[in-house]
Amino acid sequence: MREKQSALKIIAAASGLGAPDNRCAKGPEAVLSIIQKHPELLLSWHQTVTPSNADDLVSLAPFFAQLANETESLLKKESRIVVLSGDHSCAIGTWRGVHRAMNGPLGLIWIDAHMDAHTPATSPSGYWHGMPVATLLGQAENSFFIHEGAVVAPHNLCLLGVRSYEPEEQQLLQTLGVRVFAMDEIKRVGFAAAMAEAVAIASDGTQGYGISIDLDGIDPADAPGVGSPVVGGVSATDLLQALQLLQDDPCFRALEVAEFNPVIDVEQRTLHLVVQILKIVSGAEDESNH
């Protein structure tokens, strides 16, 4: 058990503007409703960031910039932070801010059913929740709001749980040399082994690493309340066990949880999974066992 600590601080990125179904913007508030009732969770709400106009794509640029500024500022003061995001396009702001705060190379573990590696030129839908990985790799520089280059190097990025993607995304990541664990490989080697390799990749020569969890990376039986569910994902048990092992790793600096849609959740299973994830990362899981 780790020593008694201050509460883990959380930033809410309450935006669904990057996805066709914007109800993921309601996810952070649903989690907040539980956190406020349970101070023993060692979780503290720090700030909520929202687009100035939830119906206008032009609002994404200042929203990402504000989110980046908030994450940078908070991580400079804290050893670890959490960002509860709406749709996964929020990662564009989250990890840009984390990268700035690290003052050196950032490693990133991306748990997701999708590759999220489209660019504006290849995206079939044009929605930004399908483009954050490409953007963070510096491959979407022709967009209207990305001007700072890559946030993470390809050799320090690892994707886990992938099972739904287009050929253009696969080609981009293969060309760049990004390690991708599709679900068929995870089923062969086990999630623990895949996660261990991901941590090694994200830790190699970096100042620290973060984990971005799109809840659709989890099997819909365990996380039904997500924006884009895909059958056959990572089990909640495997994910929680892996996070437990990383709980005391000082190189693990930031966690993002995205794509929780409380409107379509079933028996609050997804909500309770998010809370369980936060309990483990905060250290409250240890406290509850004693």
Side-chain angles (χ1 to χ4, degrees), residues 228-267:
S228 304
V230 183
V231 296
V234 176
S235 77
T237 298
D238 284 347
L239 175 65
L240 295 173
Q241 288 176 346
L243 291 175
Q244 188 87 47
L245 294 174
L246 299 178
Q247 186 185 64
D248 294 317
D249 184 354
C251 295
F252 175 22
R253 300 293 313 279
L255 172 74
E256 178 179 44
V257 181
E259 297 280 353
F260 170 40
N261 184 341
V263 180
I264 58 173
D265 203 7
V266 178
E267 299 173 343

Side-chain angles (χ1 to χ4, degrees), residues 15 55 65 76 105 133 179 185 210 232 244 248 254 283 287:
S15 169
D55 298 315
K76 284 181 175 179
V133 167
R179 179 69 165 103
E185 183 176 2
Q244 188 87 47
D248 294 317
E287 296 293 336

Side-chain angles (χ1 to χ4, degrees), residues 7-13 28 31-32 35 41-48 74 78 80-85 255 278 282:
L8 183 67
K9 291 187 170 56
I10 299 173
I11 294 173
V31 179
L32 172 61
I35 290 174
L41 293 180
L42 299 179
L43 300 167
S44 173
W45 208 259
H46 175 72
Q47 176 79 348
T48 298
L74 185 59
E78 303 290 329
R80 184 181 296 168
I81 66 169
V82 169
V83 177
L84 287 178
S85 294
L255 172 74
L278 298 181
S282 71

Side-chain angles (χ1 to χ4, degrees), residues 132-156:
V133 167
T135 304
L136 295 172
L137 287 166
Q139 299 297 310
E141 288 295 303
N142 60 333
S143 74
F144 64 96
F145 54 76
I146 304 302
H147 306 290
E148 298 182 35
V151 166
V152 61
H155 62 273
N156 289 133

